[in-house]
Each structure stands twice: as structure tokens, then as C-alpha cells.
Amino acid sequence: MISVELPDGSVREVEAGSTAYQIAESIGPGLARAALAAKVDGEVQDLARPLERSTKLEILTDRQPEALAVLRHSAAHVLATAVRQLYPDAQIGFGPAIEDGFYYDFDVDTPFTPSDLEAIESQMQKVVKQDYPFVREVVEPDEAEARFQDDPLKLERLREFGTEEVITVYTDGPFVDLCLGPHIRTTGQLKHFKLLHTAGAYWRGDERRQMLQRIYGTAWFKKKDLDQYLVRLEEARKRDHRVIGKQLDLYSIQDDVGAGQILWHPRGATLQFELRRFIEDEIMRRGYELVYTPHVTREQLFVRSGHIPLYEDNQFPAMAAASGDADDVRYRIKPMNCPMHALVYASRQRSYRELPVRLAEIATVYRNERSGALHGLLRVRGLTMDDAHVFCREDQIEDEIYDMIDTVDVVMNTFGLEYRLDFATRPDKKIGADEAWDVAERALEGALKRRGLSYGIDEGGGAFYGPKIDIKVRDAIGREWQGATIQLDYQLPERFELEYVGSDNKPHRPVMIHRAILGTIERFVGMLIEHFAGAFPVWISPEQVRVIPITDALDDAAASINKQLRGAGIRSSLDDRSETLNYRIRDGEIMKVPFMAIVGKREAENGTVAVRVRGAGKKQEVMPVAAFLERVRQQIRERSISPTG
RNA sequence: GCUGACGUAGCUCAACUGGUAGAGCAGCUGAUUUGUAAUCAGCAGGUUGGGGGUUCGAGUCCCUUCGUCAGCUCCA
């Protein structure tokens, strides 16, 4: 007999070899029916696994979020079962649960079409109806080899197993898979799922290997959850910066210019203008100095910096010699600013007294991104970094990093953006002595700890030249994009032989820190559009106030208010079109203008405006023009997130 | 770059198996003068992304090229 402790603290004595399912049955038929998996001593397992030792046991049902991943992974098996029935020659890859769903990779001769998906989904329904139990078996290597004789992908994985490892296979009806588990009890427990789309995916994520066909799907405990998820996807599409960017006339990308290049329209340019002003103001108060450097330089510069050949794939090809130059002088458009900032530093002698030297430049750089990677504003070829390079002594690193993290936090909080910090440590392939890495990593982590923000650790994720801190923000549909980045660099100072004269009157090599706070203006604006769904804070709104006269008899009065607002530095416009009031108000709402100042006869007579605040509907407020003006200015000054705030 | 899907008026989308390219909104003109989310009428607008091919005939089929989208890979 063994004793099993349940979550409520009660203990049951059962025979060794009893299953969690049997225990669930003994507790009650309702629980047995609802049971999806078991948690044994903190580990999620199949319900059918025999319990050999005294343990703590929790029966997982649809009330435990941990069971969702089990359900989704099982859904992947049901998918594979269906695909194998419809396409017996399909070879199977991997099929894990992922956030919000699952996928399974198949090697098939002809890729699946959308209508194939429908057929596969209805076949899945049949598999569910069959209510096949998921059966786990532990097998010997040669037995496993035999079972997966016709599945080269599985065989490949199988041959990677160490001799000590336990090989398990799972069977549901006709389908057998090499799999760690766990699974739900039967296929019938999968109820609410939907296949979403297909995509190619390299086998083992390696672009040199063959491309498999991946089918993505989603699965939920309840129909309501599934429906909500589909609605959420729909809502996210409405927040898509590419949709809103068009609606609000912020920017365009045109074939005549080329993929991945942004044409900023006046409204989008205003966002960029305010961001630049904001960040430049912020960092100059923190002791940074602005520099401007060329966009095209001799290729040799990037050879010296090491970009060529290391980064060459991401650079645009060389340009021919400028006229009059020697034939061997070629030029490159810059993919980064760091070499030039290093040269600014090196342009004269530096004393330890002037360190840290902090050089900043908001500059557009050009990278030859692979066409398939481009994505609206979030991944472009012409990207504008709010770049800076700090040259300092090792003992100054921590303070500098601390200040950078603080800047990131201030900037993100200004917009109410949530972000995630990742501390990326030394990779296997690295340059420099371990002692230097020790110092660098300690400094970075010390600064993180001092700032008191939580962060993840990306073990071995650092750059080859130094550890880094990455800041990631999510887009409307939950994809993470890198924003700010802070990178320590021992390599470039070496290559450019950067020096400062120390108090000992001897030359020393400074450390270089690369950092961007917004990341790139393009990506940051894209994130802002999605975050605010186009309803920007007043201070960055392209159009802050729209003055609307009720009839054309009031056009002059409205025009003079508009002029007054503009004179006060407010981005105001006048809508005196010969359209109905309703039409113009609707237009203002659609364009997400934070304030509409409506001028009727009463207002004109009293020197007031009827202020309609974006999103507040009819709850307007009549106030003197001067008071309104001050209110807008206050919102701008305080960088309020919402006009109602 | 790779796999798949897609590309029709400024925008959103129609056009059955190949048979005269349409609508709404936006735009222009005129009328209307409006008190808080679409006033009415008229007009104009397209070598169907580009190039080539099959066909009596191509938006529709084929090839090619550019681009977009979802992923993969890569990355700010």
C-alpha cells in the first residue's frame, strides 16, 4: 500500500500501482469524467500512469491552467492522427503545445491548402469521436527503431537519445508517436479546437534542412474560451499598425521606393518629431551629447570595425568609387553608427577626467533585411535608431548601465508600455578573457539589481563581443519585438585603438557601451500605434485640436480660435467644410483627434468653446478659450496618456 | 532567402465553371447652414502590380518578376 496526499490535505491509502484515474474515480464519477491529467509530486503526468510510491497527487481538470498545455499537445497528436489517416505517406516531425495553441510539422510531397485544412479538421472530429485512449509505453531502442522504421524524422531524433534515457511512445488509435507526454486520457476529451493556418518550417529550425509543412491550431477547454480567442485575434487585427497607419494617414510603403522603406506622411512625421524631441531632451539632461555622422562612408571603415565580413550579409552592397577617387575606394551605406562614433571619440586625446564620453545620434541606417522578414514598421530596411555610445572606464560601467535602464523605464512609463528585460550572458563563441566577462556581467547584473526591476536571464544569449540587456515589447497579437538594447563591447575599442590617458599618465583602453532606448523610431511608432490603437496621448498626437464652427457664419470666429491655439504652439486645425456638424464630428472621432473645440453662436458670443474629448462622446464641457488652451498645454506639458486624464 | 496564400478605382471589397470590370466610402461640382459619430444630387475615377504566353476572347489559365500577408530562418 502507498499513501496519496490530495490537495485538501486528506490522505488515501491505495495499492501500489494504482493510477491517478482510479483515485479520481474513487473520489467521484464527476471528477473522473473531468480529469485530464495528474500532477504527481509537482510533475504533470498521464492519469493512467501507475503510482508506485507514496506521493502528493492533484487531479488536473479544466480548472487548472497547467492542463491546457496537455490538452493542446494532445490536440497536436489528434491532428497528426487525422493527417496520417488522410495522407498515409506524410512523415511526422514535432508537434508541441505553444502559447494559445499547438502545431504539428509534416513532411509531405504537396503542401496543404486551406481546403485541405477543413478536411483535416473534420477528420480530427472523427478521431475525437472514436475516443481513443492515449496509451504510454516505455520501449527499448531497437524496438523503437522498428516502430518508426518509416519515419526518418523520428528515427533521427531517436538516435540522439542517450543510453540512460527512457524512450516513450504514445498511441492513440492508429497513430503512434515518439513522445515524452503527458497526454489527456482519451481523444474524446478534446472538444473545442480549430485549425488556423499552415506555414513552412525548417526541420529542426535549420534553414539548411528540408522545409516541413506546419499546421497551426488552437484548442481550449470551453467553447466560450475558443470563441473569445477568435474574437481576440479579430480585435488585434483592428489594432494592427499597418491598418491604423493607413486609416490615420501616418505613413506608406510604396513599391516605387522599395520594400521596407517608410515614407512618413505629415501625421506620422509628427509622431517621429515628438519622439525625437522627447528622447533628445531626456538624454541631454543625462549628460549625452549629440553628434551627426555621414550615411555613406568608405568601405574600409566597416572592414576595420569587423562588420565586413561578419555583418556583410546584412549590408547593402558596395557602391563604386566616387568620381576622382582611386578605383579601389568603394563606399558603403551605414548599417550602424558605432564605427563613426568611435572615430569621433578618437579624434583627439581623451583624459580619464572627461569619461564617460556619451555620444548620441538619432540616425537612419540601412540594413539589407531578408525580404520575408519585413513587417510594416516593425521590421524595415531603413531604420532610425536613437543610438548612443558611451565610452567609459570599467568601474563606470555599472553607473552608466543603471542610468540607461532608468531611462528605458522612464520612457516606457511615459507611454504606459509594458516591457520585459532580458539579461543575456556570455555565449560559447566569444572573444576576450573570462575575467573581463566576469567584470562586465557583474556590472550589468549589478545595475539591474540596483534598479530593482525584474528581469529574465538569457543564458549564453550575449553578443560575441559582450553581454547585453534586451528590452522586449509585445505587439497587438502578442508577438514580442525587441525595443531598447544595451550592449557592452570590448571589441570595437580594440579595433579602433581607443585610448584615454589615465591618472597614472599612461594610455588605457575604454569600454564601449552601445545602447538604444526607443530601439528604432519605426518600430517604436509601430508599437505605439498598436498600444494606443491610434488614440495617441495629446502631446504626440499629430492633430491635437480640431476647431469646428457649427455654421459658416461662425467660420471667422473659429478661424481666430484656431489661430490662437496655433500661436500657443498647439497643433490645431480648422474644419470649416460645408458638411453637417455630425459628419465633421464623426470624422474627428475617426481620426482620433483628442479634442474637438466646437464653436456655436453661444460660444462665439461668450468667448468660449464646447470641448468634446475623444472617446467621451456627448459629455462635452463649455469653457473659455483661454481655459481650454491652458488645459491642452497642461496635457502636453505633463505628457498625459489620455486626454480625459 | 524559404513554404504557402494573395495582389481589381485613393480606401474596403464585388465580378458563376474564361465572354462588355461594378458597389460603398473618399474625391470633384452644385445645392444644403446644420448644436455633438455619415444631408442630398450629379460628375469623374481602373492597360485588374509589371512583363511575357495560351485562347476567337484572360481580372479569371500558364510562366516570370515586383510586392503584401501568415509562418520558418534571421533580427532593432
Side-chain angles (χ1 to χ4, degrees):
Chain A
M1 295 297 276
I2 56 170
S3 60
V4 175
E5 186 186 338
L6 298 168
D8 64 1
S10 65
V11 176
R12 290 186 177 237
E13 298 293 324
V14 297
E15 276 186 42
S18 301
T19 66
Y21 183 67
Q22 288 166 341
I23 294 169
E25 274 183 317
S26 74
I27 296 171
L31 181 64
R33 228 173 313 146
L36 294 167
K39 195 165 170 184
V40 180
D41 286 339
E43 191 193 338
V44 182
Q45 291 185 356
D46 302 316
L47 284 165
R49 280 280 282 279
L51 303 173
E52 304 295 355
R53 278 189 304 275
S54 294
T55 57
K56 283 187 176 177
L57 172 71
E58 185 182 359
I59 304 292
L60 299 182
T61 67
D62 63 12
R63 297 167 75 165
Q64 280 78 32
E66 298 145 287
L68 199 49
V70 179
L71 179 83
R72 287 171 177 161
H73 178 51
S74 301
H77 276 238
V78 171
L79 166 61
T81 309
V83 167
R84 266 294 175 80
Q85 288 176 330
L86 296 174
Y87 307 89
D89 293 335
Q91 287 165 7
I92 50 176
F94 294 137
I98 53 172
E99 192 175 359
D100 294 334
F102 60 91
Y103 69 75
Y104 210 108
D105 288 339
F106 302 96
D107 196 354
V108 284
D109 290 338
T110 43
F112 303 112
T113 65
S115 60
D116 290 341
L117 272 197
E118 284 175 39
I120 293 167
E121 194 174 303
S122 43
Q123 185 65 31
M124 284 174 74
Q125 296 288 4
K126 288 179 193 157
V127 174
V128 166
K129 209 164 179 187
Q130 290 294 322
D131 202 19
Y132 298 123
F134 280 98
V135 179
R136 176 181 188 270
E137 287 173 81
V138 177
V139 295
E140 293 302 313
D142 47 343
E143 150 96 35
E145 287 254 352
R147 300 263 295 253
F148 294 102
Q149 205 49 61
D150 299 325
D151 280 304
L153 304 178
K154 289 292 174 188
L155 283 180
E156 180 180 327
R157 175 70 189 91
L158 200 51
R159 285 168 189 158
E160 291 166 3
F161 276 95
T163 45
E164 299 301 303
E165 284 176 275
V166 178
I167 299 171
T168 56
V169 298
Y170 275 84
T171 308
D172 63 287
F175 181 69
V176 189
D177 199 354
L178 177 68
C179 174
L180 227 67
H183 283 283
I184 52 178
R185 202 164 54 79
T186 69
T187 58
Q189 290 184 305
L190 175 65
K191 293 196 168 63
H192 308 290
F193 65 95
K194 186 174 166 58
L195 297 184
L196 297 174
H197 53 262
T198 60
Y202 298 110
W203 168 234
R204 315 292 308 255
D206 185 342
E207 63 179 322
R208 289 165 305 190
R209 311 282 313 256
Q210 76 264 42
M211 184 160 262
L212 308 180
Q213 296 304 313
R214 176 171 298 178
I215 297 177
Y216 283 92
T218 188
W220 300 83
F221 291 135
K222 301 193 173 73
K223 177 153 194 323
K224 196 185 73 187
D225 296 337
L226 173 61
D227 292 344
Q228 269 175 5
Y229 174 67
L230 297 175
V231 169
R232 177 147 64 89
L233 285 184
E234 200 58 42
E235 290 295 314
R237 265 187 277 276
K238 286 186 207 154
R239 290 180 92 91
D240 190 316
H241 73 278
R242 292 163 300 186
V243 174
I244 292 177
K246 205 172 271 176
Q247 282 167 354
L248 299 188
D249 193 19
L250 300 175
Y251 73 96
S252 61
I253 300 171
Q254 299 183 27
D255 286 8
D256 289 336
V257 178
Q261 306 271 26
I262 309 301
L263 294 169
W264 290 98
H265 298 3
R267 287 172 173 272
T270 304
L271 293 170
Q272 177 165 166
F273 170 76
E274 287 292 358
L275 286 178
R276 284 173 177 258
R277 188 153 76 169
F278 172 49
I279 202 77
E280 287 183 349
D281 182 57
E282 182 68 34
I283 64 173
M284 281 166 83
R285 281 193 278 118
R286 291 170 185 263
Y288 284 72
E289 301 170 290
L290 295 183
V291 297
Y292 296 107
T293 63
H295 288 72
V296 173
T297 68
R298 290 175 67 162
E299 181 174 56
Q300 192 52 39
L301 179 65
F302 292 106
V303 174
R304 184 174 184 191
S305 68
H307 284 86
I308 297 173
L310 229 64
Y311 198 71
E312 198 173 5
D313 284 350
N314 283 292
Q315 292 187 243
F316 282 99
M319 288 170 250
S323 66
D325 282 354
D327 287 346
D328 60 347
V329 177
R330 305 204 300 171
Y331 288 83
R332 288 276 191 162
I333 192 150
K334 65 176 168 184
M336 291 188 192
N337 302 303
C338 26
M340 274 160 279
H341 290 187
L343 290 180
V344 172
Y345 175 91
S347 64
R348 63 172 167 82
Q349 276 196 323
R350 302 283 176 176
S351 152
Y352 73 98
R353 293 171 191 278
E354 63 181 305
L355 298 185
V357 171
R358 309 182 184 92
L359 304 179
E361 177 178 16
I362 298 185
T364 306
V365 298
Y366 295 86
R367 299 181 185 176
N368 193 4
E369 298 292 341
R370 304 216 256 181
S371 59
L374 301 175
H375 184 89
L377 288 174
L378 300 184
R379 188 79 182 271
V380 294
R381 286 186 174 142
L383 44 140
T384 309
M385 308 179 71
D386 67 316
D387 208 0
H389 296 92
V390 170
F391 305 85
C392 65
R393 303 188 308 260
E394 280 199 339
D395 63 290
Q396 294 172 320
I397 294 173
E398 187 176 321
D399 281 347
E400 288 305 305
I401 303 281
Y402 177 86
D403 185 68
M404 291 170 188
I405 298 169
D406 185 64
T407 313
V408 169
D409 198 48
V410 165
V411 169
M412 297 307 216
N413 288 338
T414 300
F415 296 100
L417 281 171
E418 303 214 347
Y419 64 97
R420 202 165 63 87
L421 281 167
D422 268 338
F423 172 39
T425 60
R426 71 191 79 182
D428 293 338
K429 275 178 72 178
K430 61 180 192 296
I431 54 165
D434 278 336
E435 296 76 52
W437 280 89
D438 289 341
V439 172
E441 288 178 359
R442 253 202 314 275
L444 256 67
E445 196 156 23
L448 278 166
K449 289 213 168 98
R450 181 139 66 94
R451 191 62 184 76
L453 295 165
S454 63
Y455 57 93
I457 292 183
D458 181 3
E459 204 68 59
F464 68 92
Y465 48 76
K468 57 179 186 167
I469 296 171
D470 288 330
I471 287 84
K472 297 192 175 81
V473 186
R474 278 170 179 265
D475 73 5
I477 60 172
R479 289 177 295 209
E480 278 196 337
W481 296 87
Q482 180 162 332
T485 180
I486 300 169
Q487 309 182 354
L488 262 181
D489 183 359
Y490 290 93
Q491 172 75 349
L492 227 49
E494 204 68 45
R495 285 181 171 263
F496 284 91
E497 297 174 326
L498 302 184
E499 289 181 346
Y500 64 88
V501 179
S503 57
D504 56 2
N505 197 30
K506 289 195 178 115
H508 297 272
R509 186 129 294 162
V511 179
M512 195 169 167
I513 311 172
H514 308 242
R515 55 102 277 195
I517 302 297
L518 302 174
T520 73
I521 305 255
E522 287 79 10
R523 180 172 289 179
F524 199 79
V525 169
M527 303 300 320
L528 285 184
I529 294 171
E530 304 208 346
H531 178 65
F532 291 114
F536 301 111
V538 177
W539 71 280
I540 55 168
S541 279
E543 188 180 356
Q544 292 163 327
V545 177
R546 188 176 286 192
V547 185
I548 305 179
I550 289 181
T551 76
D552 55 13
L554 298 160
D555 282 359
D556 288 347
S560 110
I561 292 169
N562 181 44
K563 201 172 165 193
Q564 197 182 336
L565 292 167
R566 282 180 167 264
I570 292 165
R571 287 186 290 272
S572 175
S573 66
L574 176 67
D575 186 358
D576 58 359
R577 287 177 295 179
S578 164
E579 297 285 355
T580 58
L581 180 65
N582 278 334
Y583 177 93
R584 287 175 289 158
I585 284 175
R586 180 165 194 270
D587 193 58
E589 289 286 351
I590 287 171
M591 293 305 283
K592 309 259 197 264
V593 180
F595 296 110
M596 280 181 261
I598 311 217
V599 184
K601 202 168 152 215
R602 289 198 295 273
E603 287 78 14
E605 280 167 2
N606 300 330
T608 57
V609 285
V611 178
R612 183 183 165 115
V613 180
R614 178 183 62 207
K618 288 185 187 173
K619 275 187 285 173
Q620 60 160 358
E621 201 181 327
V622 179
M623 60 177 87
V625 176
F628 171 59
L629 191 148
E630 191 38 49
R631 174 161 172 201
V632 177
R633 287 179 67 156
Q634 186 191 344
Q635 291 239 330
I636 293 170
R637 207 165 44 235
E638 292 174 358
R639 300 201 175 99
S640 309
I641 287 177
S642 158
T644 50

